[in-house]
Amino acid sequence: MGETILNYEDLLEMLDDDLREPKQFWEDFYKDRTKNIPFFKVKGPDENLVEYLSKGLSPKRVLELGAGPGRNSIYMAKQGMNVSALDLSNRAIEWAKERADEEGVNLDFHCVSLFDFKFEPNSYDFIYDCGMFHHLAPHRRLTYIEIIKRALKKGGYFGIVCFNTDGALDTSDRDVYKDKSLKGGIGYSEERLKEIFNKDFEILNFRKMKKPAQSEELFGEEFLWTSLMQIKS
């Protein structure tokens, strides 16, 4: 874009330029699979996701945002769901494809930004985000929510896992732009996170993630919030 803001997208892109370039950040992040990253060491799904399904959530068509190495997408596909797995990083998608092949499941992979992703409106029963939202710049937040609302079917569900204030700094939106940094991700208080979503979603479940006993079967860390929501009519 040029130096003149002519539309809303120009404004968003100009604000993007003041922060880290997300594509390269995530390609570098996934370059070394042996790093001491909690979800690198676990192949299984999020403990809260397993709980949602055990208590009756049974979507047919699912979109996972920031799918990473594919832990959750693979798990949902193994439960018989039609899953589209979205991630910005080629390296993450390659890793997820390798794991999916090992598990013998088919996934619909998309290496693209959520903001460039083409989808049929009102087509997903469930959208799940583990770890994308807290890396999202504040000026992209409203568009993120509008995309989720547009992509979900009537009565559809949205699940999120993101940093609480034990996991990252409770950085204000103003300070993100003042310091030109997300500081590794935004830590949300319960009040702040609910304020962002409760206009458009009914919050059905909200709690800290549980850390399972030493096991590769499930993922969970107490520095993360988990929430299951349903889109309001």
Side-chain angles (χ1 to χ4, degrees):
M1 64 163 289
E3 293 300 314
T4 303
I5 295 173
L6 300 175
N7 53 53
Y8 185 59
E9 189 60 32
D10 286 347
L11 173 61
L12 297 179
E13 289 181 7
M14 185 171 287
L15 291 170
D16 285 341
D17 288 343
D18 280 341
L19 301 171
R20 69 187 181 205
E21 200 288 311
K23 174 72 172 176
Q24 191 57 52
F25 175 86
W26 291 110
E27 293 297 1
D28 292 342
F29 182 84
Y30 284 105
K31 189 173 183 178
D32 179 5
R33 298 182 185 181
T34 66
K35 286 192 299 187
N36 188 29
I37 303 294
F39 68 87
F40 278 22
K41 297 182 286 185
V42 178
K43 286 188 175 181
D46 296 341
E47 58 84 11
N48 57 293
L49 180 61
V50 174
E51 180 182 282
Y52 300 155
L53 270 58
S54 72
K55 292 186 175 180
L57 183 69
S58 55
K60 294 181 180 178
R61 191 170 183 212
V62 178
L63 174 65
E64 185 182 10
L65 311 179
R71 298 177 302 104
N72 295 307
S73 288
I74 290 168
Y75 169 74
M76 290 187 281
K78 289 173 77 171
Q79 310 309 307
M81 301 170 200
N82 181 347
V83 183
S84 296
L86 191 74
D87 203 283
L88 188 59
S89 166
N90 287 287
R91 287 192 172 108
I93 293 291
E94 288 169 6
W95 194 359
K97 285 181 177 178
E98 290 173 20
R99 285 183 167 179
D101 288 343
E102 290 171 3
E103 296 289 339
V105 297
N106 292 317
L107 292 170
D108 180 26
F109 289 105
H110 298 270
C111 186
V112 65
S113 165
L114 171 64
F115 304 108
D116 297 321
F117 179 54
K118 306 301 181 186
F119 60 88
E120 182 182 347
N122 311 118
S123 58
Y124 295 99
D125 304 293
F126 181 46
I127 296 177
Y128 191 66
D129 172 357
C130 177
M132 177 181 167
F133 183 74
H134 54 231
H135 290 293
L136 195 68
H139 64 274
R140 289 287 181 177
R141 198 181 290 144
L142 294 176
T143 308
Y144 169 96
I145 292 172
E146 287 304 313
I147 290 172
I148 290 169
K149 288 165 55 182
R150 200 162 68 246
L152 280 175
K153 294 179 180 178
K154 184 177 181 180
Y157 294 88
F158 171 56
I160 190 170
V161 176
C162 74
F163 285 146
N164 58 40
T165 52
D166 293 329
L169 294 174
D170 186 10
T171 307
S172 72
D173 292 350
R174 184 180 295 277
D175 282 344
V176 167
Y177 301 102
K178 178 182 176 183
D179 300 333
K180 295 188 176 183
S181 174
L182 291 168
K183 301 183 186 299
I186 297 173
Y188 288 91
S189 67
E190 178 175 352
E191 179 183 15
R192 185 180 181 191
L193 195 62
K194 287 181 175 179
E195 182 181 30
I196 289 168
F197 287 103
N198 64 14
K199 175 188 172 190
D200 299 298
F201 296 88
E202 181 183 355
I203 298 174
L204 306 176
N205 181 290
F206 190 102
R207 62 169 173 80
K208 277 189 176 182
M209 203 177 215
K210 301 171 186 174
K211 187 174 178 65
Q214 292 293 331
S215 167
E216 289 192 1
E217 294 182 4
L218 293 178
F219 173 79
E221 294 288 349
E222 293 180 344
F223 56 75
L224 296 163
W225 290 124
T226 72
S227 184
L228 178 66
M229 314 178 198
Q230 187 173 26
I231 191 168
K232 292 180 179 178
S233 302

